[in-house]
Amino acid sequence: MDEKDFDNMRRAGTDAARQVGEAFTQIDFSGVSKSIEKAVRDVGWQLSTFGRDERSPYVISDPQDVSRARWRMWAGLAILFFVTIPLVVVGLALLVFSPFSGIVTLALGVAAAVAGSRLVGKGAHEKAFAQMLQRVDKALGDRQSVSVAELAGEAGVPVPQLVSVLDEAISRGLIPEGHLDVAGTKKMLYLTDDAWDAVQARTRPSEATADEPAPATDGDDVGSSTLPEEAREVLSAATQSAKQISDCASRIREAEVSATLGRIASKSEDICAYVMHHPEVASQFRRAATYYLPTTAKLAASYAELEGHAGGPEAVRTLSDLRASFAQVDEALSKLSDELVLDQSIDVHSDIEVLRTMLEQDGLSERD
C-alpha cells in the first residue's frame, strides 16, 4: 500500500467521522428546554380532570403506550452513547494504525448513530402522541361529537396540535368511527358514524339546493344549466371557498391580513364570473378552485383562531408563515387572471386579423 492509498483511506475515515457528527446533529433535544412548561401543563390538566375516571368508549387508548415509547427512547439513547461513541473513538484511533479497520469501525458507528437517532425520534413522537391521546380520551367522556376548540381547552392541548393528533389517531384506527370536520369555520370531531351521518343528512339538502343550477335570465348572465359539467364543478367549489375566505377575513383583526384575504375572495369571484362566460377555460381554474382556495379557506380559519393566542413564539411563527402563504395565493390569483385575459386577447387579435384579411380580399377595405 503506497502513500496515496493511505491518504485516500484517511480521507474516507474523515468523511465517516463527519457523517457521525451529522447524525448526532439530527437528534432533537429541544424538548428538554420545555420540560418546565410541560410540567405546569400536566399539573393543570390533572387538576381539571380530577375525579373523572370515565373514558371515551369510542377511543382506543392503552396506558402502556407511554411506557413502551419511553423504553424505545432509552434504547435509542443507549445505542448512541454505549455503541456509537465507542465505535467512533475506536475507529478514529484505528485510522492511524490500520486505516481499513478504522473505516469499517467508523461505518459501523455511523449505522449505529442513524439507528439510535431514529429510535429516539420515533419514541419521542409516540410518547407525546400517546400522552395527548390519553388526555383526549379522558376529556371526551361518552360524548359522540364535540368542537375541537372546546376539546382543546378541556384536554389542555393547543388546537393545531390537537388537530394533528386527532388526524393521526383516526388514520391509525385508534378512533375507529372518527370523523374530523375542519372544512368549516368551526372544527368538529365526530366519534361515531351515526353522529357523522346525522350531520351530513342535515347539511346535504342545503348543499343540494346551493348546487342546483340557477335558471337562465334574460340578461347577459349565462344560466348554470347551460354550462358543461366541469365548469359547474369548478364554479361550485370556488364560490364556496371564496365565501368561507370572505367570512374569515371579516373575523380577523389584523388589517393587512384581512385585506389580503378580501382580495383573494374578490379575485376568486371575478375569475368565477369570467369562467361563467367562458366555460372553456374551466380546466385552467380547476386546481385553484379545488385545492388552492379550499386550503386557503382552511388556513384562514386557523389564522382567525390563532390570532387571539399569539403570545408564544410558535404561534407568532405560525401566523407569520400563514401571512406569507396568503400573499403567495393573492399573487398567484393575479397571475392566473392575467393569463386567462391574455389567452382571450390573443384569440381576439387573431379574429381581428382574419376579419381584416377577408375584408381586404373581398375589396371591402383599403390596405393601410
Side-chain angles (χ1 to χ4, degrees):
M1 179 181 299
D2 56 18
E3 183 177 353
K4 182 178 179 181
D5 293 334
F6 184 84
D7 290 339
N8 290 336
M9 297 182 71
R10 183 181 295 276
R11 281 195 295 270
T14 303
D15 292 339
R18 179 177 54 79
Q19 293 178 17
V20 173
E22 292 177 353
F24 274 113
T25 59
Q26 294 176 359
I27 305 174
D28 184 12
F29 292 105
S30 59
V32 177
S33 62
K34 299 182 180 179
S35 58
I36 296 178
E37 179 184 356
K38 179 181 179 300
V40 173
R41 290 201 307 268
D42 288 342
V43 171
W45 175 71
Q46 292 291 342
L47 290 175
S48 65
T49 58
F50 181 75
R52 294 173 55 188
D53 295 331
E54 69 277 4
R55 294 183 178 273
S56 173
Y58 311 112
V59 178
I60 301 174
S61 176
D62 187 356
Q64 298 301 317
D65 287 343
V66 176
S67 298
R68 284 191 285 267
R70 188 178 290 113
W71 278 110
R72 180 177 293 179
M73 291 175 59
W74 281 113
L77 290 173
I79 291 175
L80 290 174
F81 289 103
F82 297 108
V83 179
T84 300
I85 293 178
L87 284 174
V88 171
V89 173
V90 172
L92 291 174
L94 287 175
L95 283 176
V96 179
F97 305 102
S98 178
F100 179 77
S101 298
I103 293 173
V104 172
T105 304
L106 285 174
L108 292 175
V110 171
V114 172
S117 300
R118 288 179 177 175
L119 280 175
V120 172
K122 183 68 174 177
H125 172 77
E126 289 295 327
K127 179 173 174 287
F129 173 78
Q131 288 176 334
M132 284 187 284
L133 187 61
Q134 288 179 20
R135 291 187 176 194
V136 170
D137 189 7
K138 194 168 185 179
L140 280 171
D142 58 355
R143 288 177 289 183
Q144 295 189 20
S145 64
V146 63
S147 73
V148 174
E150 179 183 352
L151 181 60
E154 295 178 1
V157 180
V159 171
Q161 197 172 5
L162 178 61
V163 171
S164 177
V165 170
L166 293 175
D167 206 13
E168 182 176 350
I170 292 173
S171 64
R172 291 168 58 172
L174 300 178
I175 307 180
E177 298 183 13
H179 299 274
L180 187 60
D181 183 8
V182 296
T185 56
K186 184 177 181 182
K187 298 181 176 67
M188 292 292 297
L189 171 66
Y190 301 93
L191 293 113
T192 65
D193 290 335
D194 291 339
W196 174 252
D197 292 341
V199 172
Q200 295 299 301
R202 288 197 301 269
T203 58
R204 196 173 294 120
S206 61
E207 290 177 356
T209 302
D211 291 340
E212 286 179 358
T217 62
D218 294 334
D220 294 334
D221 290 340
V222 180
S224 60
S225 59
T226 65
L227 294 175
E229 181 179 358
E230 181 181 28
R232 291 201 303 270
E233 293 177 357
V234 167
L235 289 172
S236 176
T239 302
Q240 182 179 1
S241 297
K243 183 180 183 304
Q244 292 174 355
I245 293 171
S246 180
D247 292 341
C248 290
S250 63
R251 294 190 293 114
I252 291 175
R253 297 191 298 271
E254 188 171 346
E256 183 178 353
V257 176
S258 179
T260 300
L261 291 174
R263 288 195 301 271
I264 292 174
S266 178
K267 291 175 182 178
S268 301
E269 293 170 355
D270 291 343
I271 295 176
C272 285
Y274 184 86
V275 174
M276 178 73 75
H277 291 280
H278 302 276
E280 67 276 4
V281 302
S283 59
Q284 296 176 248
F285 189 41
R286 170 174 286 278
R287 183 179 290 272
T290 59
Y291 179 74
Y292 296 133
L293 292 179
T295 302
T296 302
K298 186 185 298 184
L299 294 178
S302 298
Y303 191 99
E305 285 190 17
L306 284 173
E307 191 178 28
H309 308 279
E314 183 64 26
V316 172
R317 185 180 66 83
T318 301
L319 291 177
S320 177
D321 291 342
L322 287 172
R323 284 192 290 270
S325 299
F326 297 151
Q328 286 181 318
V329 173
D330 185 23
E331 182 181 357
L333 287 178
S334 296
K335 290 181 178 179
L336 176 60
S337 180
D338 292 342
E339 289 176 0
L340 295 178
V341 174
L342 178 62
D343 290 343
Q344 183 184 16
S345 299
I346 293 174
D347 293 339
V348 169
H349 286 298
S350 298
D351 292 339
I352 292 174
E353 291 299 324
V354 172
L355 177 62
R356 287 177 176 175
T357 300
M358 293 182 66
L359 288 172
E360 291 171 358
Q361 290 177 350
D362 293 338
L364 300 176
S365 175
E366 296 181 358
R367 295 181 180 271
D368 295 336

